[in-house]
Each structure stands twice: as structure tokens, then as C-alpha cells.
Amino acid sequence: MMSHGLPLADSEVEERFDVWSARAAIEYYESHAFTDGLPVVPVSESSLAAFLRTVDRDPQEVLMPMPHLNRALTVRLAAINAAMAGCLPEYFPVVVAAWEGFAAEPTPTRGIWQSTTGTAPLTLVNGPIRDQIGINCAGNIFGSGFRANATIGRAIRLAAINVFGLHPHLLDQATQATPAKYSACLGENEENSPWESLHVQHGFDSDDSTVSTFVIRSVLHLEARHCDAPEQLGHDLANSVARTGALLHEYTSSLIVLGPEHAAMCARAGWDKDTVRRFVYEAASVSRATLARVGKGAVSRHSRWRLPADHPDAIADETSARGGDDAPVLSSLDAIQVIVAGADNAGVSAVVDLFGPPRGIPFSIAKVRSSA
């Protein structure tokens, strides 16, 4: 039976599957606030067992503690939320690797998950597992339409809600947040990249499957369809990184997601990922007059957050002693990372604002390990 092109269960299906019981189970989860606002998949012990069989882990092993909340995520709890999110069991090793990456964050920074800033977890998948489970790497990478991407990202969010208690208006105090709080998972388009993938750059083999984990604030799309020189694109990227609205702290950090067309243009000119990173690092600055105009001309002596120069807690940022009219916004090359993802159909890239450490690499990588 069809209604406006959408399939509905016919009587034969209903004889084998009690649709109304399923709906009742879904409403039960909703009534107990076990959801992100969307319906979840009911879970039984037998369906849960299929997830746990995919990893060689003790179900009671703690994947990620939240000491300040006195809560901890176990393998079993991660599996329950992955099943509720709509994952297939074969996705679960990726979910576990993602949690291992997030657990590598410095413990004091985990409070940012419930911050007014509205941050969201982002998982990036590399290696053969992308094809094995159907991770989308090309076209609509930040959008809908691909079960693996949607449900893996959602599994992280559901566990944050159900295990850590990060419900909106309660422990999650995001002022506005981001749609990425529903789900944020993508794969690097290794096949259409002229360069080494992110995980190979960081010491893994190309046939390793990995998950890189980031904490993000926003995704800013960049239209540069007609630029014909990497320097033009580089200045566009640097301007996007250095926008004053992104400057929460003394420095910022960013993940540049180059579309394949932009990556190919850079490669034709002899640029590699590190060339792109260095160009953006050196070009990403903002005038001190602009910072003063938006009330970000100084930093807090305690938090290093930007604030007006006449604020009682204000001190000069560390680069002001160098003189000059411009303030650099990246602390080091590590603060800017580059991947290639998206479709090869337009000159479109993106700058992802990260909530990273003041210095150092603003993400973690974990290897995907299954029981097979």
C-alpha cells in the first residue's frame, strides 16, 4: 500500500509485525525522554547482543567517564544507544572508536559538551570501513540521506543525552546550538583527493580504518567557484577562519573541508595539504581596530576569552607585544587541519570552527577494531 509515494505496511506485513506495538514502544521511549526529539528504534536483549558481538570488549568496560557529572559510558550503554539511533550492528565498531577518540580529550574540557557555546561532536571516518558500511564521503556530506552517517552521528548524541544526562534546558545549556547536535559524521573522500588522507598523515596505514573526533561549533560554507589560483582560495579560507564571530578565545582552530575541485586546483599548482595549512596559518589575522570595534580587543587574564580592553579582567593578548596592526588568530600550524570531502561538482568548501586546545592538535584519532 502506498500513500503519496510513501510505503505503508499492508495487512500481510501487519500479521507478521505488530505496527501498533512498535509505535507504543516508540512512545514509551519518548515519554521517558530517551530521545533526541525524533523516534528511536526499540531495543531488546537479543538485538543488543548482535551489536556487542561486533566488538571484542567487556560490555561493562568504561569508554568515557564524565567525572564532573559522576557518570560513565560503558560499551553496553554505547551499544544500546547505537541500536536506538538506528545503527546496524556492523556500524558499532565505528561508534566505539569514536567514543575512544572523544575520551582522549583532556578531562577538564569535557564540560564543553554542555556549554552555552552549543558545541557538537563530529566524527570523521577514514579507511576501508567507509565502503564496507556505506559512509558517505562525496556530496551532501553535512546533510541527510545516508544511514551510516546519520545513525553513527546520532548514536553519539543519544548517549550524551541518555547516559550523561545532557538534555536541552537541563544539563545542556546551549544558547542556540547547531543542527550538528542531531548528527555529525562524514568520511574523507580519499578516492577524489590528490593527497594523503588525514589518518595516513598522522601515522596510520592507508588500509587502517580510523575515526577522528572533533568538537565543533559551526560549519561555514565557502563559495569559490571561479577562483583559478590557490592563493585566491587561501585568502578566502583565511578570511573565513579569522572572522570575528569565531574568535571566542585568544586563538581559534579550524578544520578546512576542501571540495575535490578546490583540492585538485591546489594540487595542480604544486600545493599539498601542508602548503594549504601554512598559507592559511600565515594569512589568518584580523586588524586590531576591528577587534576593538567588536569588543574583542583584549583577553581575560583567567580564561583567555576575548573581551573589551576596558574590562576589569582584561590584559593584552600575547601577540600585542610584537606590534603591528593585525592580530594572528591561529596559535600554530596544528590549529588548522585539512581534509578533502564532498562532490566533484562545484567550487565549494567549508570551514568548521573547532573547540580545541589553545595549542596542539585539536582532534583525536582511534583505530576501528572489530571482533571479526
Side-chain angles (χ1 to χ4, degrees):
M1 180 179 180
M2 301 287 286
S3 176
H4 301 289
L6 298 176
L8 297 178
D10 58 24
S11 57
E12 181 181 350
V13 171
E14 287 205 55
E15 287 179 6
R16 292 183 283 112
F17 179 78
D18 188 342
V19 173
W20 287 106
S21 292
R23 288 192 62 88
I26 289 170
E27 295 304 326
Y28 173 85
Y29 282 79
E30 172 64 31
S31 68
H32 286 74
F34 294 150
T35 84
D36 52 7
L38 295 172
V40 298
V41 177
V43 187
S44 67
E45 286 292 342
S46 60
S47 64
L48 178 62
F51 283 77
L52 294 175
R53 282 195 297 269
T54 66
V55 293
D56 187 18
R57 312 293 282 262
D58 183 336
Q60 300 309 316
E61 177 187 349
V62 172
L63 289 174
M64 180 167 169
M66 280 281 194
H68 71 288
L69 297 176
N70 196 28
R71 302 184 186 196
L73 175 78
T74 63
V75 172
R76 176 183 170 85
L77 290 173
I80 291 171
N81 283 277
M84 289 169 59
C87 288
L88 293 175
E90 53 263 39
Y91 303 172
F92 188 53
V94 175
V95 174
V96 170
W99 280 118
E100 289 181 317
F102 288 120
E105 298 172 20
T107 300
T109 68
R110 293 181 193 171
I112 198 64
W113 284 51
Q114 60 191 103
S115 167
T116 55
T117 307
T119 54
L122 170 74
T123 61
L124 170 73
V125 185
N126 278 106
I129 194 71
R130 295 169 306 130
D131 290 333
Q132 293 167 13
I133 65 173
I135 290 285
N136 178 36
C137 311
N140 208 40
I141 52 170
F142 293 110
S144 60
F146 297 85
R147 182 175 182 177
N149 299 59
T151 60
I152 290 170
R154 190 188 186 201
I156 304 299
R157 170 54 48 192
L158 280 177
I161 293 171
N162 293 325
V163 178
F164 300 135
L166 303 188
H167 295 271
H169 300 187
L170 297 174
L171 289 182
D172 184 344
Q173 287 291 299
T175 303
Q176 293 187 327
T178 164
K181 277 205 167 187
Y182 275 109
S183 177
C185 173
L186 67 149
E188 185 165 9
N189 192 340
E190 300 174 22
E191 292 71 23
N192 281 336
S193 173
W195 306 313
E196 287 184 333
S197 61
L198 187 71
H199 72 313
V200 171
Q201 286 181 286
H202 288 271
F204 290 87
D205 293 332
S206 59
D207 58 356
D208 287 333
S209 293
T210 66
V211 177
S212 301
T213 51
F214 304 80
V215 177
I216 72 171
R217 294 188 290 168
S218 65
V219 178
L220 180 67
H221 285 272
L222 185 152
E223 298 277 350
R225 295 173 183 266
H226 304 295
C227 66
D228 57 7
E231 292 83 1
Q232 296 171 346
L233 176 64
H235 282 296
D236 234 357
L237 292 166
N239 178 266
S240 299
V241 169
R243 62 189 177 88
T244 60
L247 299 180
L248 178 66
H249 291 108
E250 183 171 17
Y251 296 110
T252 189
S253 54
S254 296
L255 172 67
I256 293 176
V257 184
L258 289 182
E261 287 191 356
H262 283 158
M265 178 191 67
C266 290
R268 286 194 297 270
W271 286 32
D272 58 15
K273 281 185 177 181
D274 284 342
T275 312
V276 176
R277 292 170 61 218
R278 181 166 292 280
F279 187 97
V280 174
Y281 167 66
E282 294 175 351
S285 63
V286 60
S287 75
R288 296 195 180 277
T290 297
L291 285 172
R293 189 161 55 245
V294 298
K296 295 182 176 180
V299 296
S300 164
R301 73 179 67 248
H302 297 109
S303 68
R304 310 301 290 187
W305 288 39
R306 288 203 169 268
L307 40 66
D310 59 358
H311 190 281
D313 191 38
I315 60 173
D317 66 57
E318 69 175 14
T319 64
S320 61
R322 304 176 194 170
D325 296 330
D326 295 332
V329 302
L330 296 166
S331 62
S332 68
L333 277 174
D334 284 337
I336 195 87
Q337 298 292 324
V338 176
I339 65 168
V340 177
D344 187 12
N345 61 4
V348 176
S349 292
V351 171
V352 181
D353 288 336
L354 304 179
F355 198 100
R359 288 175 176 78
I361 297 175
F363 69 101
S364 299
I365 305 182
K367 189 172 181 179
V368 179
R369 295 179 173 86
S370 68
S371 61

CSV table of all heavy atoms in Angstrom, one decimal, residues 58 65 71 96 105 112 141 188 200 207 216 218 242 270 294 322 329-330 341 349 354 359:
chain,number,residue,atom,x,y,z
A,58,ASP,N,34.5,-6.0,26.9
A,58,ASP,CA,33.7,-6.3,28.0
A,58,ASP,C,32.5,-5.3,28.0
A,58,ASP,O,32.8,-4.1,28.0
A,58,ASP,CB,34.5,-6.2,29.3
A,58,ASP,CG,33.6,-6.5,30.6
A,58,ASP,OD1,32.4,-6.4,30.5
A,58,ASP,OD2,34.3,-6.9,31.6
A,65,PRO,N,34.4,8.4,30.8
A,65,PRO,CA,33.8,8.9,32.0
A,65,PRO,C,33.5,10.4,31.9
A,65,PRO,O,34.2,11.1,31.1
A,65,PRO,CB,34.9,8.6,33.1
A,65,PRO,CG,36.2,8.7,32.2
A,65,PRO,CD,35.9,8.2,30.8
A,71,ARG,N,29.2,10.3,36.1
A,71,ARG,CA,28.5,9.4,35.1
A,71,ARG,C,29.6,8.8,34.2
A,71,ARG,O,30.7,9.4,34.0
A,71,ARG,CB,27.4,10.0,34.3
A,71,ARG,CG,26.4,10.7,35.2
A,71,ARG,CD,25.2,11.2,34.4
A,71,ARG,NE,24.3,11.9,35.3
A,71,ARG,CZ,23.1,12.3,35.0
A,71,ARG,NH1,22.6,12.0,33.8
A,71,ARG,NH2,22.3,12.9,35.8
A,96,VAL,N,32.3,2.8,18.7
A,96,VAL,CA,33.2,2.5,19.8
A,96,VAL,C,34.5,3.3,19.6
A,96,VAL,O,35.0,4.0,20.5
A,96,VAL,CB,33.5,1.0,20.0
A,96,VAL,CG1,34.7,0.8,21.0
A,96,VAL,CG2,32.3,0.3,20.5
A,105,GLU,N,40.0,13.4,24.9
A,105,GLU,CA,40.0,14.8,25.3
A,105,GLU,C,40.5,15.0,26.7
A,105,GLU,O,40.2,14.1,27.6
A,105,GLU,CB,38.6,15.4,25.2
A,105,GLU,CG,37.9,15.3,23.9
A,105,GLU,CD,36.4,15.8,24.0
A,105,GLU,OE1,36.1,16.4,25.0
A,105,GLU,OE2,35.7,15.4,23.1
A,112,ILE,N,32.6,21.2,28.0
A,112,ILE,CA,32.1,22.0,26.9
A,112,ILE,C,31.0,21.3,26.2
A,112,ILE,O,30.2,21.9,25.4
A,112,ILE,CB,33.3,22.2,25.9
A,112,ILE,CG1,33.0,23.4,25.0
A,112,ILE,CG2,33.6,21.0,25.1
A,112,ILE,CD1,32.8,24.7,25.7
A,141,ILE,N,27.7,15.9,2.3
A,141,ILE,CA,28.4,15.3,3.4
A,141,ILE,C,27.9,15.8,4.8
A,141,ILE,O,28.0,15.1,5.7
A,141,ILE,CB,29.9,15.5,3.3
A,141,ILE,CG1,30.3,16.9,3.1
A,141,ILE,CG2,30.5,14.6,2.2
A,141,ILE,CD1,31.7,17.2,3.2
A,188,GLU,N,36.2,11.0,4.8
A,188,GLU,CA,37.1,11.8,3.9
A,188,GLU,C,37.0,11.1,2.5
A,188,GLU,O,37.0,9.9,2.4
A,188,GLU,CB,38.5,11.8,4.4
A,188,GLU,CG,39.4,12.6,3.5
A,188,GLU,CD,40.8,13.0,4.2
A,188,GLU,OE1,41.1,12.4,5.2
A,188,GLU,OE2,41.5,13.8,3.6
A,200,VAL,N,46.5,8.8,7.4
A,200,VAL,CA,47.9,8.5,6.9
A,200,VAL,C,48.8,9.6,7.3
A,200,VAL,O,50.0,9.3,7.7
A,200,VAL,CB,47.8,8.3,5.4
A,200,VAL,CG1,49.3,8.1,4.9
A,200,VAL,CG2,47.0,7.0,5.1
A,207,ASP,N,45.4,1.2,4.8
A,207,ASP,CA,44.4,0.2,4.9
A,207,ASP,C,43.9,0.1,6.4
A,207,ASP,O,43.1,-0.9,6.7
A,207,ASP,CB,44.9,-1.2,4.4
A,207,ASP,CG,46.2,-1.6,5.1
A,207,ASP,OD1,46.7,-0.9,6.0
A,207,ASP,OD2,46.6,-2.8,4.8
A,216,ILE,N,33.0,20.6,17.6
A,216,ILE,CA,32.8,21.7,16.6
A,216,ILE,C,31.8,22.7,17.1
A,216,ILE,O,30.9,22.4,18.0
A,216,ILE,CB,32.4,21.2,15.2
A,216,ILE,CG1,30.9,20.7,15.2
A,216,ILE,CG2,33.3,20.1,14.8
A,216,ILE,CD1,30.4,20.4,13.9
A,218,SER,N,30.5,25.3,14.6
A,218,SER,CA,29.7,25.6,13.4
A,218,SER,C,30.4,25.2,12.1
A,218,SER,O,31.6,24.8,12.1
A,218,SER,CB,29.5,27.2,13.3
A,218,SER,OG,30.7,27.8,13.1
A,242,ALA,N,39.3,33.7,10.2
A,242,ALA,CA,39.6,34.8,11.1
A,242,ALA,C,38.3,35.7,11.3
A,242,ALA,O,38.5,36.8,12.0
A,242,ALA,CB,40.7,35.7,10.5
A,270,GLY,N,51.0,22.6,-7.3
A,270,GLY,CA,52.1,22.1,-6.5
A,270,GLY,C,51.9,22.2,-5.1
A,270,GLY,O,52.8,22.0,-4.3
A,294,VAL,N,34.5,45.3,17.8
A,294,VAL,CA,33.5,44.3,18.2
A,294,VAL,C,33.7,43.9,19.7
A,294,VAL,O,33.1,42.9,20.1
A,294,VAL,CB,33.6,43.1,17.3
A,294,VAL,CG1,33.3,43.4,15.9
A,294,VAL,CG2,35.0,42.4,17.4
A,322,ARG,N,54.4,42.1,19.9
A,322,ARG,CA,55.1,42.1,18.6
A,322,ARG,C,54.8,43.4,17.8
A,322,ARG,O,55.5,43.7,16.9
A,322,ARG,CB,54.7,40.9,17.8
A,322,ARG,CG,54.9,39.6,18.5
A,322,ARG,CD,54.3,38.5,17.6
A,322,ARG,NE,54.2,37.2,18.3
A,322,ARG,CZ,53.5,36.2,17.8
A,322,ARG,NH1,53.0,36.2,16.6
A,322,ARG,NH2,53.4,35.0,18.5
A,329,VAL,N,45.3,34.8,14.4
A,329,VAL,CA,44.2,34.1,15.1
A,329,VAL,C,44.4,32.6,15.3
A,329,VAL,O,43.6,31.9,16.0
A,329,VAL,CB,42.8,34.3,14.4
A,329,VAL,CG1,42.5,35.8,14.3
A,329,VAL,CG2,42.8,33.6,13.1
A,330,LEU,N,45.5,32.1,14.8
A,330,LEU,CA,45.9,30.7,14.9
A,330,LEU,C,47.2,30.6,15.7
A,330,LEU,O,48.1,31.3,15.4
A,330,LEU,CB,46.0,30.0,13.6
A,330,LEU,CG,44.7,29.9,12.7
A,330,LEU,CD1,45.1,29.6,11.3
A,330,LEU,CD2,43.8,28.9,13.3
A,341,ALA,N,36.6,16.4,1.1
A,341,ALA,CA,35.3,15.7,1.2
A,341,ALA,C,34.3,16.4,0.4
A,341,ALA,O,34.4,17.6,0.2
A,341,ALA,CB,34.8,15.5,2.6
A,349,SER,N,33.7,24.7,-0.6
A,349,SER,CA,34.4,24.1,0.5
A,349,SER,C,33.8,24.5,1.8
A,349,SER,O,32.8,25.2,1.8
A,349,SER,CB,35.9,24.4,0.5
A,349,SER,OG,36.6,23.8,-0.6
A,354,LEU,N,36.3,24.8,15.3
A,354,LEU,CA,36.6,23.7,16.3
A,354,LEU,C,36.7,24.4,17.7
A,354,LEU,O,37.2,25.5,17.8
A,354,LEU,CB,37.9,23.0,16.0
A,354,LEU,CG,38.0,22.3,14.6
A,354,LEU,CD1,39.3,21.6,14.5
A,354,LEU,CD2,36.8,21.3,14.4
A,359,ARG,N,46.7,25.3,22.2
A,359,ARG,CA,47.9,24.8,21.4
A,359,ARG,C,47.7,23.3,21.2
A,359,ARG,O,47.2,22.6,22.1
A,359,ARG,CB,49.2,25.2,22.0
A,359,ARG,CG,49.5,26.7,21.9
A,359,ARG,CD,50.8,27.0,22.6
A,359,ARG,NE,51.1,28.4,22.4
A,359,ARG,CZ,50.5,29.4,23.1
A,359,ARG,NH1,49.6,29.1,23.9
A,359,ARG,NH2,50.8,30.7,22.8
